[in-house]
Amino acid sequence: MIYTVTLNPSIDYVVQVKDFELGTLNKMESDRKLPGGKGINVSRILHELEVDATALGFLGGFTGTFISDWLNNDNITTDFTVIEDDTRINIKLKSNEETELNGRGPHINEEEATRLLNQLSNLTEDDLVIFSGSKPPSLPADYYQQLIGKTVKANAAFVIDTTGQDLKNALAYHPFLVKPNQHELEELFGVKLNGEADIIPYGEKLLELGAQNVIVSLAGEGALLFTKEGSYRGISPKGTVKNSVGAGDSMIAGFIGEFSKTNDIKKAFQMGLTAGSATAFSEDLAKRADMETIYQQAEVRKI
Ligand SMILES: Nc1ncnc2c1ncn2[C@@H]1O[C@H](COP(=O)(O)OP(=O)(O)OP(=O)(O)O)[C@@H](O)[C@H]1O
Ligand SMILES: [Mg+2]
């Protein structure tokens, strides 16, 4: 079974305002409420690809209920840890410019944190856990390490898509996949990178540090895949970008979903590129049909 873990989900409140002005009354032209959170995005794309997965993470209050109802309505399997505090709401204000206002996230007490950890005690070597996104500040600093510790102890595989120290610490536990974008890769090594030739040594370095597979995603420029058997250049399909939020999450879901079906790393990469781009070309996350339309346009070349 595949599990996704979202420690700090959100309701994304997407608001459209014509010529937004600070300090006055503005009227919304439209507003939408969507479930947000990187692991939840991964679960939604896996569901589109008809790959079984269970979404784990913390949800609480009326905002949490909104998210679980929404996902259950779409037949996405969930087993969230229910907490007392309310799940956060993030505001995405779309006007002449885009402004985001993100919540810090709920208070999570020790008992609640332990309950999610204990869910991972039932993992087996046939399972894979995808950890995505940052954690709310109320969780212990080493919480990701505790979760990874449980996963590794059960001989289950894991993917981690987060930033900074949590990502660094995870490498020694041999994640099946890490997928920094260029900015995250630069931050990780404290460098500025210009073009493929600059990026390649740092992708390889992540393999040396313990990752089994590394994707460095480059938005519209595609991505690079590093494996023990060799490296590949991925070329993304071309199209009109509508909203690239969640492209990286979609890429992880495409890669893992296809690998779980075929065990073929090149096909997995092609589906990762496809799912990422299909999401960038959609208002919300990609649908299965969007991915089928552009799959053949995604190209994978050996470096
Ligand atoms: N503008 C675009 N045009 C075509 N494909 C895109 C575009 N943006 C993203 N993609 C596809 O999605 C993949 C992942 O995108 P990106 O590198 O932006 O991930 P990310 O920064 O982790 O995104 P996020 O964290 O917001 O989900 C890219 O490698 C590419 O295949
Ligand atoms: Mg990302």
Side-chain angles (χ1 to χ4, degrees):
M1 171 61 82
I2 297 174
Y3 296 89
T4 64
V5 177
T6 312
L7 299 179
N8 204 4
S10 60
I11 293 181
D12 288 345
Y13 188 42
V14 187
V15 177
Q16 189 88 41
V17 180
K18 192 161 182 282
D19 302 324
F20 175 76
E21 265 185 72
L22 265 178
T24 70
L25 175 69
N26 294 270
K27 295 234 161 113
M28 295 178 188
E29 286 186 303
S30 65
D31 69 290
R32 286 200 301 164
K33 302 166 203 82
L34 290 169
K38 299 176 80 59
I40 288 176
N41 291 343
V42 175
S43 261
R44 287 177 59 198
I45 294 287
L46 286 172
H47 182 69
E48 285 297 319
L49 295 171
E50 291 172 8
V51 176
D52 284 339
T54 300
L56 308 179
F58 297 109
L59 280 187
F62 73 104
T63 42
T65 304
F66 170 88
I67 293 173
S68 52
D69 286 352
W70 199 101
L71 295 175
N72 294 340
N73 204 31
D74 259 19
N75 292 317
I76 290 164
T77 310
T78 63
D79 190 10
F80 286 107
T81 304
V82 177
I83 57 169
E84 212 169 295
D85 201 0
D86 293 343
T87 291
R88 65 185 172 151
I89 299 174
N90 291 340
I91 302 167
K92 315 280 167 189
L93 173 62
K94 301 197 172 218
S95 190
N96 303 329
E97 286 180 294
E98 287 197 8
T99 308
E100 294 186 70
L101 205 51
N102 281 4
R104 283 164 63 81
H107 178 73
I108 293 166
N109 66 39
E110 218 178 299
E111 181 273 324
E112 292 163 345
T114 305
R115 238 188 302 138
L116 176 54
L117 270 172
N118 286 343
Q119 278 183 290
L120 300 191
S121 302
N122 303 325
L123 291 172
T124 72
E125 60 187 12
D126 298 325
D127 294 325
L128 179 139
V129 188
I130 304 174
F131 298 104
S132 301
S134 56
K135 56 181 186 292
S138 60
L139 284 171
D142 68 344
Y143 193 67
Y144 257 133
Q145 271 178 292
Q146 294 182 38
L147 291 169
I148 290 167
K150 284 265 185 191
T151 309
V152 171
K153 197 164 164 223
N155 283 322
F158 74 99
V159 174
I160 183 154
D161 182 24
T162 189
T163 55
Q165 200 57 44
D166 282 329
L167 176 55
K168 253 187 213 157
N169 291 341
L171 294 169
Y173 298 93
H174 306 296
F176 178 69
L177 175 71
V178 293
K179 191 217 67 63
N181 58 29
Q182 180 169 336
H183 175 76
E184 289 159 351
L185 188 67
E186 289 176 344
E187 192 203 328
L188 203 58
F189 291 106
V191 290
K192 185 90 197 95
L193 304 170
N194 265 313
E196 204 173 297
D198 273 11
I199 294 169
I200 288 172
Y202 289 96
E204 289 169 346
K205 206 162 185 146
L206 288 173
L207 289 181
E208 283 163 30
L209 289 169
Q212 297 179 52
N213 297 287
V214 177
I215 296 177
V216 178
S217 69
L218 305 166
E221 305 294 311
L224 296 165
L225 169 67
F226 303 89
T227 75
K228 304 230 154 61
E229 286 73 44
S231 302
Y232 301 87
R233 174 108 196 50
I235 296 145
S236 302
K238 296 281 167 284
T240 309
V241 178
K242 290 199 182 137
N243 175 13
S244 67
V245 173
D249 309 330
S250 302
M251 176 168 235
I252 288 173
F255 184 91
I256 294 298
E258 186 66 20
F259 191 80
S260 76
K261 289 179 191 169
T262 62
N263 247 8
D264 181 325
I265 209 89
K266 275 177 70 183
K267 277 193 185 149
F269 189 36
Q270 189 176 357
M271 186 53 90
L273 292 156
T274 300
S277 298
T279 284
F281 305 155
S282 310
E283 284 293 350
D284 185 19
L285 299 185
K287 294 283 172 205
R288 188 187 175 87
D290 305 327
M291 297 188 251
E292 279 169 357
T293 315
I294 61 170
Y295 179 74
Q296 292 305 336
Q297 295 170 39
E299 258 183 80
V300 174
R301 292 186 195 147
K302 188 129 205 282
I303 297 177

